[in-house]
């Protein structure tokens, strides 16, 4: 029998929502399963398993997608210079951020930033898949223990 979110207690679901909220508000930090498990009083294996059951996405994937979505929105809104967006979402190395962003969205961050909305610019794959506007990807830094 496949596990689903209904097999989790209300307390477990609330703790998992807390983990998600912590991730979303602390993207600059090094977010490891070990640190999250300790902070929210889970074992690492329980956190991995329950997070995947509840959000239908492994925790490291959720962290990566949240970072990419936030970066996309910041660049698109031109709220921050592209040169600082990567560090704002948890990347210490600018080229690692550029490579991950380009691989994920199919366009370098600077091209998205410089795109004129009146041009015949074709939007990259905008985030829309996950309930927080997230898509799948595996190259997330700092989400592994």
């Amino acid at each position: 029998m496949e596990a689903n979110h209904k097999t989790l207690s209300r307390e477990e679901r609330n703790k998992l929502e807390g983990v998600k909220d912590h991730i979303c508000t602390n993207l600059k930090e090094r977010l490891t399963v070990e640190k999250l498990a300790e902070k929210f009083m889970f074992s690492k294996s329980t956190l991995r398993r329950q997070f995947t059951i509840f959000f239908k996405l492994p925790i490291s994937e959720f962290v990566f997608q949240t970072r990419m979505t936030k970066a996309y929105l910041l660049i698109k809104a031109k709220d921050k210079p592209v040169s600082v967006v990567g560090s704002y979402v948890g990347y210490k190395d600018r080229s690692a951020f550029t490579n991950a962003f380009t691989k994920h969205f199919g366009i370098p961050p600077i091209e998205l930033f410089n795109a004129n909305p009146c041009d015949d610019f074709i939007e990259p794959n905008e985030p829309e898949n996950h309930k927080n506007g997230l898509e799948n990807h595996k190259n997330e830094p700092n989400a592994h223990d």
Side-chain angles (χ1 to χ4, degrees):
M1 181 170 127
E2 186 176 310
N4 63 45
H5 72 281
K6 293 176 185 171
T7 63
L8 301 172
S9 71
R10 177 178 288 164
E11 179 184 353
E12 290 167 330
R13 291 190 306 265
N14 288 341
K15 283 171 55 175
L16 291 166
E17 286 289 347
V19 172
K20 181 192 82 158
D21 292 344
H22 181 80
I23 291 168
C24 292
T25 58
N26 293 281
L27 292 175
K28 287 182 184 181
E29 292 181 18
R30 180 169 159 78
L31 298 165
T32 65
V33 171
E34 185 174 83
K35 287 180 183 179
L36 293 168
E38 184 178 323
K39 180 173 181 62
F40 290 93
M41 297 181 286
F42 283 103
S43 72
K44 292 187 306 185
S45 60
T46 298
L47 176 58
R48 281 188 191 105
R49 182 177 45 79
Q50 289 185 353
F51 194 95
T52 301
I53 290 168
F54 193 59
F55 294 107
K56 301 187 180 355
L57 200 63
I59 196 164
S60 60
E61 188 74 16
F62 180 86
V63 170
F64 174 80
Q65 291 182 22
T66 303
R67 285 182 166 144
M68 288 293 105
T69 299
K70 182 66 172 179
Y72 178 92
L73 295 172
L74 289 170
I75 292 167
K76 186 89 168 145
K78 302 180 190 298
D79 285 347
K80 297 193 178 310
V82 173
S83 61
V84 300
V85 170
S87 63
Y88 189 80
V89 297
Y91 282 81
K92 291 186 167 108
D93 181 65
R94 190 181 307 174
S95 73
F97 166 70
T98 298
N99 291 337
F101 187 94
T102 302
K103 185 174 181 180
H104 188 69
F105 291 112
I107 184 172
I110 193 67
E111 282 186 35
L112 178 63
F113 185 83
N114 290 332
N116 181 341
C118 296
D119 289 344
D120 289 328
F121 177 72
I122 297 173
E123 289 290 326
N125 301 324
E126 275 197 56
E128 62 189 37
N129 210 1
H130 184 271
K131 77 177 189 178
N132 291 333
L134 307 174
E135 295 181 22
N136 281 338
H137 199 282
K138 300 279 182 215
N139 294 331
E140 202 290 308
N142 303 327
H144 305 287
D145 49 344

